[in-house]
Amino acid sequence: MTDKNVIWQPQPKQIRFMERTEYEVLYGGAAGGGKSDALLIEALRQVDIPHYRGIIFRKTYPQLSELIDRSHALYPLAFPKARYNDSKHVWIFPSGAKIFFGAMQHSKDKTNYQGKRYDFVGFDELTHFTWEEYSYMFSRNRPSKNPRSNKRTICYIRASTNPGGVGHGWVKQRFIDAAEPGTPIVENTEVKLPDGSTKIIKRDRVFIPATIFDNKALLEENPDYLGSLALLPEKERNALLYGDWDTFEGQYFTEFRTAPDHEKCKAAGITVEQAKEQGRWTHVIPALDLSIGERRGWQIYRSYDFGYAKPFSCAWWAVDYDGTIYRIMEMYGCTNIPNEGVKWTPDKQFEEIARVERTHPWLKGKQINGVADPAIWDSSRGESIAETAIKYGVYFTPGDHERIPGWMQCHYRLQFDENGYARCYIFDNCKGFIRTIPLMMYDQTKPEDLDSDLEDHIADEWRYMCMSRPVKPLKPIEKKTILSDPLDQFTDKQRRRGYQ
């Protein structure tokens, strides 16, 4: 076959994506990796089967226009008799097979696909979708049938995306953090059958990364595109050029650090491990034993945000003699699915909270000051949640519900002083906080607020805690020049305090 007969030729990373056999495959993670092309071509795999039905989603129909335009450039070349129906957003192939383009602008739109079946389900820019929208299509991913044909279709799901967006958190947890790229993630689900027996169902998924550096065709055709990405603001550049999933445009708590900054450690003459032990330029630190030494006198607080279908969040905090707060423990009522609650009743929640406070060596016998969402005092539908808590000896005061001032207190607590010390630390056993706080994003319609449609339950109870002990923002401190220090007194004092 000569080059002029080649309609489309995959890049090596696109081949890796298209040859995977897992049920779910996520491709991309950065701009320019050839994601949309790979998705469009993959959807063609079974169009020789008359009853095959495929669908490719974008969040809104206007966002689909570029994808549809690209399909017009590819599909008729491979299938000259294929026809596109504009009103129904569907390609109809000579065999009778169909590829649809769909959208879910609002979460309720997923029910538009109720009762339908698709052999192939594709999502372009997966992080624009919520977990509920994505997972709903599992139920629609079933084989199409035709009594006149003995050909069988294969059902599977494929997606492509860049970092960032409302779904960044669950996509990162499901595909990026779960395993190394290219390593299959296998889940076995036990299903109980009507006769009482059980059946183990295996589902697997994998992430195949790709960046613009993997798309040599694009770099040859448009070498300036690389420069365009390099000119983006730092966070957006890191996400779109290098596929960095830890920072992204629109992130709310950009200052939150789970590990010390390498350059600042180097400038201070210490290693990253030393900085972590000292709590410098990081907010996540190894757990300290609060049952020994002067830490036994630290005050203990409890913050709480109620949830049932969505997660509830309860955290315990220690406050040292300088007023620095430490998140020492947490109880996060979330299933293995992001933002899905364990559906514990208030009684069960407070029974468990009370048990922990009676038995844990850091908490038992302590006076614990509780702060919670004021909504738990609502008694319009019977016994309030706060009244339920009292039955178990768990007491709260209403938290300050002002959102913007509360978020500012969170920002102030995360600020580092000139020596790399913060006023809020998170013990490394608090996995819920470490996972969800970096995923918080700005609200699109309220510029200073956090998007409350995200998994913000931990953020909310953290805000109540910060508002209960407000601090002022740190002011830049002008570094003094020591003209004469013959006895090395000032320098020695700085060294002892970790300033040098």
Side-chain angles (χ1 to χ4, degrees):
M1 181 179 291
T2 61
D3 287 345
K4 67 179 181 180
N5 292 324
V6 177
I7 296 169
W8 182 86
Q9 186 165 341
Q11 302 289 312
K13 276 293 182 73
Q14 291 172 324
I15 293 175
R16 284 188 59 191
F17 164 67
M18 299 179 73
E19 67 185 7
R20 300 303 298 211
T21 59
E22 289 82 5
Y23 177 61
E24 300 168 71
V25 180
L26 176 66
Y27 178 62
K35 302 182 298 296
S36 298
D37 266 21
L39 204 59
L40 284 168
I41 298 299
E42 180 60 41
L44 292 173
R45 188 180 292 273
Q46 302 180 78
V47 293
D48 62 311
I49 302 176
H51 48 277
Y52 167 73
R53 299 292 181 266
I55 187 166
I56 301 176
F57 285 101
R58 277 296 303 262
K59 188 60 178 172
T60 68
Y61 275 111
Q63 291 172 344
L64 274 170
S65 60
E66 186 175 350
L67 204 62
I68 292 173
D69 288 347
R70 183 58 177 160
S71 75
H72 278 278
L74 293 172
Y75 287 2
L77 293 177
F79 301 92
K81 294 184 178 180
R83 296 293 177 264
Y84 183 72
N85 186 313
D86 277 302
S87 62
K88 295 183 178 180
H89 307 288
V90 59
W91 278 99
I92 304 172
F93 293 85
S95 68
K98 297 178 180 180
I99 295 177
F100 295 85
F101 293 97
M104 292 188 201
Q105 183 168 358
H106 307 288
S107 191
K108 64 180 180 180
D109 293 341
K110 64 181 182 287
T111 58
N112 293 339
Y113 304 95
Q114 188 172 1
K116 298 180 180 179
R117 60 178 74 190
Y118 301 98
D119 308 280
F120 172 83
V121 177
F123 286 86
D124 195 27
E125 295 299 347
L126 184 59
T127 55
H128 293 185
F129 296 83
T130 66
W131 163 253
E132 289 80 8
E133 292 160 355
Y134 176 72
S135 61
Y136 180 80
M137 292 309 297
F138 291 168
S139 66
R140 305 299 93 211
N141 187 215
R142 50 191 180 136
S144 303
K145 295 180 180 179
N146 186 333
R148 297 179 181 178
S149 174
N150 59 2
K151 291 187 176 181
R152 300 181 62 182
T153 57
I154 301 170
C155 295
Y156 59 102
I157 294 175
R158 295 294 181 263
S160 64
T161 199
N162 293 324
V166 68
H168 180 99
W170 74 260
V171 173
K172 184 173 184 286
Q173 181 181 6
R174 185 169 183 81
F175 291 97
I176 313 303
D177 295 340
E180 290 295 319
T183 303
I185 306 152
V186 181
E187 286 186 358
N188 292 317
T189 303
E190 189 176 280
V191 179
K192 190 173 182 179
L193 302 178
D195 63 3
S197 62
T198 58
K199 183 177 182 180
I200 303 298
I201 305 295
K202 187 189 87 168
R203 276 286 183 258
D204 50 5
R205 60 185 184 274
V206 72
F207 170 55
I208 303 298
T211 69
I212 188 174
F213 303 105
D214 298 307
N215 193 345
K216 293 190 179 352
L218 176 60
L219 289 174
E220 291 173 2
E221 181 182 335
N222 185 8
D224 293 337
Y225 184 58
L226 184 61
S228 299
L229 293 177
L231 290 174
L232 292 171
E234 181 182 6
K235 291 186 180 299
E236 196 171 358
R237 179 177 69 246
N238 288 342
L240 297 182
L241 186 57
Y242 303 113
D244 183 354
W245 283 81
D246 292 324
T247 60
F248 53 92
E249 192 69 16
Q251 190 177 30
Y252 199 82
F253 295 108
T254 57
E255 63 271 66
F256 180 63
R257 294 288 179 269
T258 59
D261 183 282
H262 289 252
E263 291 300 320
K264 290 180 179 177
C265 292
K266 184 178 179 180
I270 61 175
T271 66
V272 170
E273 285 305 314
Q274 288 173 326
K276 195 156 193 174
E277 289 173 3
Q278 298 171 17
R280 301 176 68 183
W281 298 294
T282 183
H283 299 104
V284 178
I285 61 174
L288 306 173
D289 189 350
L290 304 185
S291 62
I292 60 174
E294 66 176 18
R295 297 178 196 141
R296 289 178 295 180
W298 289 5
Q299 289 181 288
I300 302 296
Y301 284 75
R302 179 200 322 109
S303 56
Y304 175 77
D305 187 64
F306 175 73
Y308 179 73
K310 297 293 185 181
F312 74 87
S313 184
C314 181
W316 289 270
W317 302 82
V319 182
D320 71 13
Y321 301 114
D322 294 323
T324 300
I325 63 175
Y326 299 79
R327 188 181 182 93
I328 60 174
M329 294 169 55
E330 65 183 18
M331 183 185 297
Y332 189 42
C334 185
T335 68
N336 291 329
I337 297 173
N339 211 19
E340 180 180 88
V342 293
K343 297 184 178 179
W344 285 7
T345 64
D347 283 278
K348 182 171 177 58
Q349 292 181 33
F350 296 121
E351 180 182 20
E352 186 62 17
I353 290 170
R355 183 195 66 78
V356 170
E357 294 183 350
R358 285 194 311 269
T359 59
H360 198 282
W362 295 350
L363 305 178
K364 64 181 180 181
K366 293 277 190 177
Q367 178 182 335
I368 300 177
N369 305 296
V371 60
D373 183 350
I376 72 169
W377 277 268
D378 178 17
S379 58
S380 61
R381 288 167 287 185
E383 181 180 87
S384 71
I385 295 168
E387 289 171 324
T388 303
I390 291 172
K391 293 191 305 185
Y392 294 90
V394 178
Y395 299 92
F396 296 102
T397 56
D400 190 325
H401 205 45
E402 288 293 322
R403 291 180 64 83
I404 305 304
W407 297 134
M408 292 311 300
Q409 282 298 315
C410 295
H411 285 300
Y412 297 160
R413 285 283 180 179
L414 293 176
Q415 287 179 314
F416 294 115
D417 66 16
E418 72 276 15
N419 300 300
Y421 294 103
R423 290 178 287 180
C424 175
Y425 289 101
I426 313 301
F427 283 7
D428 57 11
N429 55 292
C430 297
K431 305 299 185 184
F433 189 102
I434 295 168
R435 177 178 69 83
T436 62
I437 292 303
L439 305 179
M440 297 299 98
M441 298 181 64
Y442 282 93
D443 190 290
Q444 293 186 353
T445 58
K446 303 173 185 175
E448 297 301 320
D449 203 357
L450 185 150
D451 188 344
S452 59
D453 289 333
L454 301 176
E455 192 177 353
D456 62 347
H457 322 289
I458 286 176
D460 280 339
E461 48 93 345
W462 174 38
R463 171 164 54 90
Y464 303 140
M465 176 62 195
C466 290
M467 285 292 276
S468 72
R469 296 184 62 88
V471 295
K472 293 181 179 180
L474 293 176
K475 294 181 179 179
I477 298 176
E478 183 179 350
K479 192 169 183 179
K480 296 180 180 179
T481 301
I482 308 302
L483 299 177
S484 178
D485 186 18
L487 299 180
D488 204 29
Q489 291 176 320
F490 186 81
T491 304
D492 187 56
K493 185 177 180 180
Q494 282 190 312
R495 188 179 296 113
R496 290 199 310 271
R497 290 185 176 182
Y499 288 4
Q500 290 189 345

